[in-house]
Structure formats: C-alpha cells, structure tokens
C-alpha cells in the first residue's frame, strides 16, 4: 500500500459558517471549496493548510453520521484521512490482513475523491479514511 501523506483531518462542527469564519479570521486559513454530499448527509468546507487540509463537516440531517458523532462526543476531530494512490489495492491489502473495514468497496467522497473508512475498532479508536483523489 502506498501511503502519500495525511490528506485531511475531518472536523465535525455544529455550524459550518461559524467554523469557517473562525478558521479564516483567527487562524488565517481560507475555505476553497464547499460541497454537500447527500449520501453522507453533510455539508463540507475544505480549508488547505500546508500540504494537508481541514475538512469541516456539518450535518444536514439530525440523523446523519456527523450529527450522531456530535451527539456522542461533541464537536471536534472526527476522522483522519490518508492519501493513497490506489484505493482498490489498499483495501485488498487490508482485507488480506484481516483488518476490520467500514467500507468493503470505495465510495464517493467530497472533493471528487474515492474514499473508504477503516473501523475505529481496528485502529485503536481512530476513524481512518483512505482517500484517492481523482
Ligand atoms: Zn474526510
């Protein structure tokens, strides 16, 4: 599996506009892309930060995964994404190693990516996303 780098850090927020405003005015980052991913019930803003990005995530529905995460943990870091060249190959390797996955096959991710999540039970509590940029 060829790992490139940390692609982004996913942060669950209650209010996307307020969070973007904070990172722009206080931290000096700039939101470069907004997207709604219906399937995951999220509105997303990408904020480049050096080689990586922050991915701010606000739930669009009270029963979405981000809403449930905030209910359980409060707002904050929700996942870490590692960029791979070939996500199909990466998933095959993980399956061969018996690693518990949330996604057996890649799905669409914000920012025109193919993504798959590794189960936090396998990683010691971190929701790990594999990302292949298209
Ligand atoms: Zn992500």
């Amino acid at each position: 599996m060829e790992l490139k780098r940390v692609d982004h850090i996913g942060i669950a927020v209650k209010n996307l506009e307020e969070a973007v405003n904070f990172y722009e005015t206080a931290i000096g980052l700039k939101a470069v892309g907004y997207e709604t991913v219906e399937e995951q019930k999220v509105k997303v803003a990408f904020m480049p930060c050096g080689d990586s990005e922050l991915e701010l995530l606000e739930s669009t529905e009270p029963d979405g995964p981000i809403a449930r995460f905030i209910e359980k943990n409060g707002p904050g870091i929700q996942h870490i994404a590692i960029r791979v060249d070939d996500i199909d190959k990466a998933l095959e390797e993980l399956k061969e190693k018996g690693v518990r996955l949330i996604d057996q096959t890649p799905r669409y991710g914000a920012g025109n990516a193919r993504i798959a999540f590794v189960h936090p039970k396998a990683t010691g509590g971190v929701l790990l996303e594999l990302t292949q940029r298209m």
Side-chain angles (χ1 to χ4, degrees):
M1 179 173 353
E2 227 182 294
L3 304 174
K4 290 311 212 185
R5 56 183 165 85
V6 172
D7 186 84
H8 63 267
I9 295 173
I11 300 174
V13 304
K14 283 187 175 166
N15 182 305
L16 192 61
E17 199 180 316
E18 281 174 19
V20 166
N21 186 47
F22 168 78
Y23 283 103
E24 287 191 336
T25 59
I27 308 296
L29 301 181
K30 184 96 189 85
V32 293
Y34 289 89
E35 186 174 342
T36 298
V37 183
E38 303 287 348
E39 184 205 337
Q40 289 161 43
K41 301 176 180 174
V42 287
K43 272 194 308 195
V44 179
F46 284 105
M47 309 193 82
C49 180
D51 279 349
S52 188
E53 289 182 317
L54 300 187
E55 178 188 51
L56 304 181
L57 303 145
E58 179 193 323
S59 190
T60 56
E61 303 286 338
D63 65 338
I66 293 301
R68 289 197 312 260
F69 176 88
I70 289 176
E71 234 175 74
K72 202 172 155 198
N73 307 289
I77 294 177
Q78 197 253 350
H79 67 272
I80 292 178
I82 292 177
R83 187 179 293 192
V84 297
D85 275 344
D86 184 341
I87 196 166
D88 299 295
K89 196 171 146 211
L91 285 174
E92 280 315 308
E93 282 184 40
L94 289 170
K95 283 179 204 170
E96 277 168 27
K97 290 174 186 167
V99 174
R100 187 167 167 190
L101 303 172
I102 291 176
D103 299 305
Q104 301 300 316
T105 55
R107 54 170 143 148
Y108 176 79
N112 200 25
R114 295 175 73 215
I115 67 168
F117 286 101
V118 179
H119 202 285
K121 289 226 160 90
T123 62
V126 176
L127 178 58
L128 190 67
E129 176 189 318
L130 302 176
T131 303
Q132 178 187 347
R133 295 283 173 182
M134 292 186 283

